[in-house]
Amino acid sequence: MSKLIGVGVGPGDPELVTVKGVNALRGADVVVVPVMDTGEVGRAEATVLHYVGAEKVVRVVFALNERSDRGRREAAWDAAGVRVAELLRTHDVVAFATIGDPNVYSTFTYLAQTVAAPDLVVETVPGITAMQDLAARSGAVLTEGTEPLTLVPVTAGAAVLKEALEGPGTVVAYKFGRLAGEVATALRETGRTEDAVWGSALGLEEESIRPASELGEESLPYLSTLIAPARRDGRRGGKL
C-alpha cells in the first residue's frame, strides 16, 4: 500500500515550514513539486530545496498559469495525475509540496482526487497560510473575540469580495492581483479601505507590504493577499 502526503510549505519563506512538514519531506521517497510549463522554479520547489536534495525532487507540470483554455488545463491535470500515479506504483511514500496549506485552495486537493485508489493512503500536513504570514508581517489582527473571518478568492470575481466586505468581521482576499483596481473600488464603496493592507512575495527578496489605500488600477502579482480587518472600537478586549 502506497502513501501520498500533501505537505504545506507555507507562502514562500523557508523558515515557515513546520518541523512536521520538514520531516515529511525528508521521509518521503520522492517529493513532487508542481511547476508551470514555462519551466521556472516555483515557490514550492524553491522552498523544498532548502530541506531535501534536488535528486529527490520530481517536477511535474501543471497548467497553473492557464485561466482561459479549460481543455488545455484538464489535459495538463490528466498528464500530471498519470505521472504521480506512476510514482506511487514504484515508491512507498510520495510527498507533494504545495504552497500554503494543502487543504486551503490547494493543487493537492485535485491531485488526490485524480489518483484516488483503494490501496492508496492520503494524508496532509498543514502549512502556514499567506493570510497568517501577512498578518504577522504587517501587524494586522485577523480576528478578535467572536468576529467571523471570511476568505475570498477574487478569481470568483470582485462582486463576491464586495459582498463579503459588506458583512461583519475580517475579510481576506486571495489571488486578487489582476483585479487590484476592482478590489480598491470595493474597499472604497464599503468603507473598508482604512486599516486594510495587502502583500505579495512574503518572505522573499521582492516582498511588498503596503496599505490598501495605495491600491491603484495597475495589476499586481497574481498571488497578492489582502486583509481588511473588522471594524473595531479600539477598546482593549472590546470583542471578548
Side-chain angles (χ1 to χ4, degrees):
M1 182 172 290
S2 55
K3 181 185 294 185
L4 176 65
I5 307 176
V7 181
V9 297
D13 183 347
E15 293 185 342
L16 292 181
V17 184
T18 66
V19 173
K20 187 171 184 177
V22 172
N23 288 339
L25 294 173
R26 290 176 173 170
D29 298 313
V30 293
V31 179
V32 174
V33 294
V35 298
M36 295 191 294
D37 55 7
T38 47
E40 66 263 30
V41 174
R43 290 191 195 180
E45 181 178 5
T47 303
V48 166
L49 290 173
H50 277 80
Y51 297 104
V52 302
E55 72 282 354
K56 192 173 182 175
V57 174
V58 177
R59 310 177 87 236
V60 175
V61 174
F62 288 75
L64 303 176
N65 59 338
E66 180 55 69
R67 307 296 167 199
S68 58
D69 190 335
R70 181 174 179 178
R72 178 175 174 271
R73 185 172 67 247
E74 290 183 351
W77 272 109
D78 290 341
V82 169
R83 180 69 179 109
V84 173
E86 291 173 350
L87 292 170
L88 288 166
R89 284 194 293 270
T90 55
H91 297 86
D92 292 331
V93 181
V94 175
F96 182 91
T98 178
I99 59 171
D101 183 279
N103 294 305
V104 180
Y105 300 127
S106 170
T107 309
F108 179 74
T109 301
Y110 308 110
L111 175 65
Q113 293 171 348
T114 301
V115 301
D119 60 345
L120 175 64
V121 175
V122 177
E123 298 179 356
T124 57
V125 177
I128 291 174
T129 61
M131 63 178 169
Q132 292 170 289
D133 196 14
L134 178 57
R137 294 177 187 277
S138 66
V141 176
L142 285 171
T143 56
E144 291 183 359
T146 58
E147 294 171 353
L149 173 64
T150 304
L151 176 58
V152 178
V154 183
T155 47
V160 178
L161 173 62
K162 184 177 180 181
E163 181 180 356
L165 290 168
E166 290 171 341
T170 294
V171 176
V172 175
Y174 274 4
K175 304 177 182 180
F176 81 89
R178 295 174 182 171
L179 295 176
E182 294 181 41
V183 168
T185 299
L187 287 167
R188 186 171 58 252
E189 291 179 349
T190 57
R192 300 291 295 270
T193 301
E194 187 178 1
D195 297 328
V197 62
W198 71 270
S200 64
L202 302 175
L204 305 178
E205 289 185 5
E206 63 271 31
E207 174 183 281
S208 178
I209 298 176
R210 310 294 299 173
S213 59
E214 297 183 7
L215 286 174
E217 293 298 322
E218 66 276 7
S219 294
L220 300 172
Y222 174 70
L223 290 177
S224 295
T225 298
L226 171 85
I227 297 176
R231 299 178 178 91
R232 297 169 182 139
D233 59 16
R235 293 183 300 162
R236 185 176 63 178
K239 295 291 184 71
L240 297 179

